[in-house]
Amino acid sequence: MTSFQGKSALVLGGSRGIGAAIVRRLAADGAEVTFTYFGARQAAEQLANETGSTAVLTDSADRDAVIRRVRESGPLDVLIVNAGVAVFGNALDLDPDAIDEMLKINVHAPYHAAVEAARLMPEGGRIIVIGSVNGDRVPFAGIAAYALSKSALQGMARGLARDLGPRGITVNVVQPGPIDTDANPADGPIRDLLHSFMAIKRHGRAEEVAGMVAWLAGPETDFVTGAMHTIDGAFGA
Ligand code: NDP
């Protein structure tokens, strides 16, 4: 366990799945955690009660709302951008508006949130974005735009690491493989396909991802920045 006593953390997209596991972990380790939700109000309120964190409604597809939320959080020691959606299917058939909405949530929001957080972030600050192993590997059809959104985060992290390194702020991407959440249930229809690419043939647990995030957010990683951290049972190997 890492102590986050006295640290302030904002998790964008914390109401369910991986984000909720990150909220639980950081709160259990002593951080003062605020997290955003959009659709899952009840789950967000329950999680806030359970963990002593604060839930706030913010649509990650709304750039100005995201920037406002980060600004209103004041100086953050840790920013986690987890909110993400997946639009899968034949690229020739998918609705272009749905693709653009995904890019707003998965790409625009992380960038603008990171830049806004950096304005007030103290030395030792941590910016962590949840990408995907699909930023590195796309072993089947139908996920081109999602993969685009996740590989975009790689360039962002590399660039912002250069921008913010002189101030002692690190920027990293955590790249999960299949993780058991509402978005990708362990008993879902593509389970066997997903497991066929893996050395460890199971879905990961959200808590396993939260453990990696907690390490990156903690005090041992001053020298870890501009890097992708894959946790995927060797899906991408
Ligand atoms: P879930 O669908 O289980 O949860 C998504 C979370 O993002 C929810 O808390 C949701 O909040 C929030 N969110 C989605 N859209 C918005 C929005 N417009 N505004 C604010 N919050 C929003 O997904 P996962 O936990 O599985 O995924 C979390 C992240 O991990 C995503 O970035 C995803 O791409 C990535 N990932 C997941 C993998 C997996 O296999 N599960 C694999 C690789 C990466 P609410 O419900 O309140 O709207």
Side-chain angles (χ1 to χ4, degrees):
M1 285 281 190
T2 301
S3 174
F4 289 99
Q5 218 66 45
K7 301 284 185 190
S8 160
L10 174 65
V11 180
L12 295 180
S15 51
R16 295 182 296 114
I18 293 170
I22 293 168
V23 169
R24 282 199 181 88
R25 176 65 191 263
L26 295 182
D29 289 1
E32 188 185 314
V33 181
T34 299
F35 68 92
T36 67
Y37 66 95
F38 183 54
R41 189 174 134 205
Q42 210 180 341
E45 284 172 355
Q46 265 174 21
L47 181 64
N49 284 339
E50 181 197 316
T51 58
S53 54
T54 305
V56 288
L57 173 65
T58 307
D59 180 3
S60 275
D62 180 342
R63 182 194 64 197
D64 294 339
V66 168
I67 291 172
R68 215 165 32 243
R69 171 58 53 212
V70 173
R71 190 180 303 146
E72 283 169 4
S73 297
L76 288 168
D77 298 294
V78 178
L79 172 71
I80 315 282
V81 188
N82 167 76
V85 294
V87 179
F88 294 160
N90 186 332
L92 305 189
D93 297 333
L94 290 172
D95 175 4
D97 286 340
I99 299 299
D100 285 1
E101 177 87 354
M102 174 171 67
L103 293 175
K104 281 186 195 168
I105 296 167
N106 292 11
V107 180
H108 299 193
Y111 177 81
H112 292 295
V115 169
E116 191 58 32
R119 294 186 201 285
L120 294 181
M121 196 168 251
E123 186 174 348
R126 304 279 190 253
I127 296 171
I128 300 163
V129 178
I130 308 303
S132 165
V133 68
N134 293 135
D136 282 329
R137 186 171 190 224
V138 186
F140 48 85
I143 60 171
Y146 178 73
L148 150 70
S149 77
K150 295 303 189 179
S151 54
L153 298 175
Q154 302 182 340
M156 182 192 93
R158 293 185 178 111
L160 286 180
R162 301 265 178 207
D163 293 335
L164 304 177
R167 288 175 47 201
I169 296 170
T170 65
V171 185
N172 288 284
V173 180
V174 168
Q175 302 195 137
I179 306 296
D180 183 16
T181 66
D182 296 341
N184 187 1
D187 57 359
I190 59 168
R191 158 205 157 104
D192 291 342
L193 173 69
L194 294 173
H195 293 183
S196 73
F197 300 114
M198 301 167 76
I200 297 172
K201 294 187 183 300
R202 64 167 173 86
H203 275 49
R205 293 184 296 276
E207 295 72 25
E208 292 175 300
V209 181
M212 180 180 268
V213 169
W215 174 72
L216 282 168
E220 296 177 90
T221 52
D222 280 346
F223 198 53
V224 181
T225 194
M228 316 310 136
H229 306 271
T230 299
I231 170 165
D232 71 341
F235 182 99

